[in-house]
Amino acid sequence: MTTTVMLGHVEGLSRLGYALSDPCRVQILLALREAPAIPSDLADALGVSRQVMSNQLSCLRGCGLVEAVKDGRHAWYRLADAHLGPALDELLRVVLVVDPDCCSGEECTCSRS
């Protein structure tokens, strides 16, 4: 039995941020914004093992960003919310100017308020 929990804004965005903190998970989300896919095809397309793909999809499911739809022997993965694809498109349009010395090494030099 699956339990659905609605998160507040801060928790929801924190989960999205966590998901986007890993390049493999980002590649999965970008691929799924194009079309649903089965894990083995995603693993082949991204050049990762099926175990890595399984772990990453599990994480994305736990974050509420993807869902699996059973179709016979296969589970097709897709984005869990129709707004996520356009949101990722908008994030791709954001231009970031990054200080290369910020957050490098052990100590973060970013100011915190």
Side-chain angles (χ1 to χ4, degrees), residues 7 24 28 33 46 55 57 64 69 78-79 92 96 102 106:
L7 299 176
C24 184
I28 293 167
R33 96 179 197 275
L46 275 57
N55 291 342
L57 287 170
V69 178
R78 64 183 182 196
L79 298 178
L92 291 170
L96 298 176
C102 181
E106 294 295 316

Side-chain angles (χ1 to χ4, degrees), residues 6 12 16-17 21 24 26 30 34 41 44-45 67 71 76-77 81 88 91 93 104 108 113:
M6 298 299 286
L16 178 60
S21 71
C24 184
V26 171
L30 293 177
E34 299 297 326
D41 289 347
D44 292 344
E67 60 188 10
D71 181 26
W76 287 83
Y77 280 80
D81 186 291
L88 291 169
L91 283 173
R93 289 184 183 94
S104 61
C108 180
S113 31

